[in-house]
């Protein structure tokens, strides 16, 4: 192993199952979903790295969770438990990121400045549904996460790291622009007014490999610019494509490998296919992966054929998930032998946590007034549907289960749209006295590479600006290391559509530029 002017590196890994054992309220859609089983487990994976030299130590712990986001309540709860059970570790040096699966338990238990909904089930969806309270799940998940961190911390042993850059087509820009200049997330591309896909796509795969002193591979950090949301309409808990990806990587490189997934800047990206869908489906069939979930047809057809819903949902999206797992594993297989030529056991190592104040996305008086009107409309819809369900429970039978909504779906959409518009109206008042919002960003330098984490669903352009100007040889951007909210670009705001309108964005594109500069300043600091 090569020396690179740093302290001796100690590495530890840990993993925990954070799958609940009872029905939960699932995160990721406007309509409520009660989990109806488990497709595959959701996990938390922790990597502890410490650099030691005489009289000095620097360290950090990264944790990846198969969740939609990492709200403040979960972070605080996990750190409290880490503080009590892990000796010698400062919990503030532990940061978590989400893979953004849309089929994991809801853990947003309190609203904050980046989050318009939070609380118990009734507060989240307007109905008392028979599920585990989100606060109870947060406590359960935080306990398991702290266990994974303790494993990683206590198992630290001398080792080395290597890194490399590969490519795998996983994410695609999901914003479609039409001839009138307006954009729509997941817009139809077979429309005669379809003009172009709005933005860039990043198919890079950043890989960090860890090795023990005998040069045996112990774990991988795999970073791609794509959220895990192929099975986003599922009523079964799932880690999405990262489940198949872990399986495929372990099949090829070792069943005992730890695999820590990260989502790079990808707020306007998704694995869903908007062009060449039929051609892609045909190739999945020829490859033996089966059908796809793109149109939802596999669920509908399976139900008509008498297949149970859990089995129908199990089939949902698996063809493309399998395809993605092979693409990622192929890229890992290409990078790993080359990266293994340069294993560093004493890399320069520095951790940096910064709190930066970013400007709010200012809500105009007009937007606030329109939001108040929309809130009133949705509130009336919500109360009408809720009262009908309470007075005539048999009405539930009028909402037959399908691959999209259950009986409680429509009323919860109205409630959540009501709360969304109320939040926008409230922001108009708050911004007068609080024009800035503090957010946490984290950076870890390991030799010539850098990990730079932020709490947003950060549109790709901002990520490319950071990568292009970074002093690091290789930059691992990590989004959703926090509550998670869209951070759109100027062109996206001008195009409009979900994800780029005021209700979607407590922060605007000005905050995106500020985030870029704050991140680059931190990287510069770590390189001095």
């Amino acid at each position: 192993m090569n020396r690179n002017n740093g302290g001796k590196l100690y590495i530890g890994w840990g993993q925990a199952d954070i799958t609940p054992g009872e029905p939960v309220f699932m995160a990721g859609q406007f309509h409520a979903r009660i989990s109806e089983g488990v497709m595959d487990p959701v996990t938390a994976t922790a990597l502890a790295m410490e650099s030691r030299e005489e009289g000095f130590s620097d360290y950090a712990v990264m944790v990846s969770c198969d969740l939609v986001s990492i709200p403040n309540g979960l972070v605080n709860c996990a750190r409290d438990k880490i503080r009590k059970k892990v000796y010698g570790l400062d919990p503030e040096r532990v940061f978590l990121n989400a893979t953004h699966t849309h089929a994991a338990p809801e853990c947003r238990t309190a609203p904050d400045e980046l989050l318009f909904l939070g609380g118990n089930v009734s507060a989240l969806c307007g109905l008392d549904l028979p599920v585990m309270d989100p606060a109870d799940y947060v406590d359960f998940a935080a306990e398991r996460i702290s266990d994974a961190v303790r494993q990683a911390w206590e198992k630290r042993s001398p080792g080395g790291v290597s890194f490399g850059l590969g490519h795998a087509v996983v994410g695609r820009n999901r914003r479609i622009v039409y001839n009138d200049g307006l954009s729509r997330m997941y817009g139809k591309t077979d429309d005669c007014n379809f003009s172009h896909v709005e933005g860039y796509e990043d198919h890079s795969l950043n890989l960090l490999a860890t090795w023990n002193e005998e040069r045996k591979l112990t774990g991988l950090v795999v970073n791609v610019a794509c959220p895990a949301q192929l099975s986003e309409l599922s009523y079964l808990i799932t880690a999405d494509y990262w489940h198949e990806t872990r399986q495929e990587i372990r099949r090829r490189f070792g069943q005992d490998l730890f695999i820590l997934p990260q989502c790079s800047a990808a707020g306007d990206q998704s694995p869903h296919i908007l062009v060449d869908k039929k051609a892609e489906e045909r190739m999945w069939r020829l490859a033996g992966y089966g059908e796809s979930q793109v149109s939802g047809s596999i669920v509908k057809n399976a139900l008509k054929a008498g297949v149970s819903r859990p089995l129908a949902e199990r089939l949902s999206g698996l063809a493309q998930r399998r395809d993605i797992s092979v693409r990622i594993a192929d890229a890992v297989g290409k990078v790993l032998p080359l990266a293994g030529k340069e294993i560093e056991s004493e890399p320069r190592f520095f951790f940096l946590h910064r709190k930066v104040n970013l400007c709010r996305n200012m809500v105009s008086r007009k937007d606030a007034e329109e939001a108040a009107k929309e809130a009133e409309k949705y509130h009336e819809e919500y109360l009408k549907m809720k009262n009908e369900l309470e007075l005539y429970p048999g009405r539930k039978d009028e909402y037959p289960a399908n691959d999209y909504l259950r009986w409680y779906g429509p009323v919860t959409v109205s409630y959540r749209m009501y709360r969304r518009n109320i939040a926008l109206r409230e922001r108009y008042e708050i911004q007068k006295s609080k024009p800035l919002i503090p957010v946490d960003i984290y950076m870890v330098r390991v030799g010539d590479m850098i990990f730079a984490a932020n709490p947003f669903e950060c549109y790709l352009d901002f990520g490319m600006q950071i990568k292009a100007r970074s002093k690091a040889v290789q930059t691992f951007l990590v989004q959703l290391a926090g509550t998670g909210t869209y951070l759109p670009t100027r062109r996206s705001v001008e195009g409009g559509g979900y994800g780029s309108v005021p209700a979607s964005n407590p922060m605007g594109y000005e905050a995106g530029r500020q985030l870029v500069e704050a991140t680059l300043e931190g990287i510069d600091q770590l390189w001095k």
Side-chain angles (χ1 to χ4, degrees):
M1 297 187 181
N2 301 323
R3 179 177 177 82
N4 191 25
N5 301 318
K8 191 172 183 62
L9 190 63
Y10 288 74
I11 299 167
W13 285 93
Q15 182 174 303
D17 188 335
I18 56 173
T19 312
E22 56 186 286
V24 293
F25 179 56
M26 302 174 75
Q29 299 294 341
F30 272 100
H31 61 279
R33 290 172 297 153
I34 298 175
S35 64
E36 298 172 3
V38 177
M39 185 184 300
D40 45 71
V42 288
T43 63
T45 306
L47 169 61
M49 292 183 287
E50 181 186 19
S51 176
R52 299 180 192 171
E53 54 185 317
E54 187 174 353
F56 179 77
S57 168
D58 205 352
Y59 62 87
V61 181
M62 302 189 295
V63 185
S64 175
C65 303
D66 293 323
L67 296 171
V68 74
S69 67
I70 307 294
N72 293 338
L74 177 60
V75 174
N76 294 336
C77 188
R79 285 177 173 167
D80 285 344
K81 294 178 183 294
I82 291 167
R83 188 173 288 110
K84 295 174 183 177
K85 69 171 63 174
V86 187
Y87 176 75
L89 171 62
D90 179 359
E92 299 299 319
R93 287 175 169 261
V94 178
F95 64 95
L96 288 65
N97 74 273
T99 61
H100 205 56
T101 172
H102 277 45
E106 178 62 81
C107 53
R108 292 170 286 194
T109 56
D112 59 37
E113 291 173 314
L114 296 178
L115 179 67
F116 77 90
L117 269 179
N120 59 22
V121 174
S122 179
L124 285 164
C125 64
L127 293 177
D128 289 322
L129 297 172
V131 297
M132 183 180 191
D133 189 281
D136 292 335
Y137 176 74
V138 165
D139 187 72
F140 164 81
E143 188 70 34
R144 297 291 182 91
I145 290 168
S146 66
D147 287 339
V149 170
R150 180 172 59 182
Q151 292 171 29
W153 187 249
E154 292 178 351
K155 290 181 179 178
R156 286 167 299 151
S157 59
V161 294
S162 63
F163 66 99
L165 176 68
H167 296 87
V169 178
V170 181
R172 298 168 172 83
N173 191 289
R174 59 181 176 174
R175 291 180 51 81
I176 302 303
V177 184
Y178 297 92
N179 290 327
D180 59 5
L182 296 180
S183 301
R184 179 175 297 176
M185 186 180 290
Y186 297 128
K188 292 184 177 181
T189 55
D190 57 359
D191 189 300
C192 63
N193 290 311
F194 165 55
S195 173
H196 59 280
V197 179
E198 184 179 86
Y200 190 57
E201 296 175 355
D202 180 8
H203 301 309
S204 64
L205 181 147
N206 291 285
L207 186 73
L208 168 71
T210 65
W211 312 79
N212 64 19
E213 287 191 300
E214 289 71 44
R215 299 181 69 92
K216 178 185 178 183
L217 183 66
T218 57
L220 298 169
V221 177
V222 185
N223 178 297
V224 296
C226 185
Q229 57 183 101
L230 271 173
S231 300
E232 62 181 326
L233 299 179
S234 175
Y235 285 78
L236 299 178
I237 291 172
T238 172
D240 211 275
Y241 68 75
W242 281 112
H243 175 70
E244 285 77 14
T245 300
R246 290 186 184 106
Q247 288 184 318
E248 183 65 19
I249 290 175
R250 286 174 177 146
R251 185 185 69 80
R252 299 190 193 189
F253 307 107
Q255 289 297 329
D256 58 347
L257 276 184
F258 289 92
I259 300 166
L260 191 154
Q262 293 175 336
C263 182
S264 184
D268 51 353
Q269 310 292 298
S270 133
H272 291 296
I273 296 168
L274 300 178
V275 178
D276 281 338
K277 288 188 284 190
K278 293 180 181 179
E280 292 278 11
E281 289 178 349
R282 175 175 176 269
M283 297 309 295
W284 298 334
R285 176 177 60 80
L286 293 175
Y289 299 155
E291 296 186 53
S292 82
Q293 167 257 3
V294 171
S295 65
S297 60
I298 190 167
V299 175
K300 295 178 182 178
N301 293 337
L303 291 173
K304 288 179 181 178
V307 175
S308 67
R309 178 168 297 279
L311 178 57
E313 301 245 23
R314 181 73 180 90
L315 297 172
S316 175
L318 288 190
Q320 191 177 355
R321 284 167 55 161
R322 172 64 177 149
D323 185 41
I324 286 175
S325 74
V326 170
R327 294 183 185 196
I328 291 177
D330 284 348
V332 170
K334 185 176 181 180
V335 172
L336 197 55
L338 302 177
K341 294 181 178 181
E342 294 183 354
I343 301 174
E344 299 176 74
S345 60
E346 297 179 350
R348 292 191 176 192
F349 187 99
F350 302 102
F351 168 78
L352 179 64
H353 171 206
R354 301 184 70 187
K355 191 172 286 289
V356 297
N357 291 312
L358 304 182
C359 63
R360 287 181 180 271
N361 183 15
M362 292 301 198
V363 179
S364 69
R365 186 180 188 88
K366 179 181 178 183
D367 286 336
E369 291 172 349
E370 290 179 353
K373 293 178 182 178
E374 287 291 295
E376 184 177 354
K377 180 189 75 172
Y378 281 113
H379 193 233
E380 289 178 358
E381 287 182 3
Y382 159 66
L383 290 178
K384 180 181 178 182
M385 286 189 282
K386 185 173 183 287
N387 290 336
E388 287 178 348
L389 289 170
E390 290 174 348
L391 291 172
Y392 308 103
R395 288 282 176 91
K396 296 176 183 179
D397 297 331
E398 297 178 13
Y399 297 96
N402 55 48
D403 63 324
Y404 182 62
L405 292 176
R406 305 296 191 258
W407 66 265
Y408 51 85
V411 63
T412 59
V413 170
S414 294
Y415 173 80
R416 289 164 74 83
M417 290 301 293
Y418 154 66
R419 286 298 309 148
R420 186 172 192 247
N421 282 282
I422 286 293
L424 185 61
R425 180 67 181 83
E426 291 172 348
R427 278 171 46 197
Y428 176 71
E429 299 300 331
I430 294 171
Q431 69 189 21
K432 298 174 184 177
S433 58
K434 295 182 179 180
L436 302 176
I437 298 179
V439 301
D440 294 291
I441 60 176
Y442 302 89
M443 278 161 274
V444 183
R445 177 182 175 179
V446 189
D448 287 332
M449 67 188 124
I450 191 85
F451 290 89
N454 67 74
F456 300 104
E457 289 186 72
C458 188
Y459 277 36
L460 182 58
D461 286 2
F462 296 128
M464 302 314 293
Q465 291 168 27
I466 295 171
K467 284 187 178 184
R469 295 170 57 193
S470 172
K471 283 184 166 62
V473 171
Q474 195 164 326
T475 302
F476 292 63
L477 294 173
V478 187
Q479 70 169 25
L480 289 160
T483 297
T485 181
Y486 291 114
L487 191 60
T489 55
R490 183 170 185 169
R491 62 175 167 181
S492 294
V493 171
E494 291 172 348
Y498 177 77
S500 298
V501 294
S504 303
N505 311 120
M507 305 289 201
Y509 59 82
E510 296 92 347
R513 295 176 63 184
Q514 291 174 327
L515 176 69
V516 169
E517 296 305 323
T519 302
L520 289 167
E521 287 173 9
I523 293 173
D524 288 348
Q525 182 178 335
L526 295 182
W527 246 258
K528 287 183 180 178

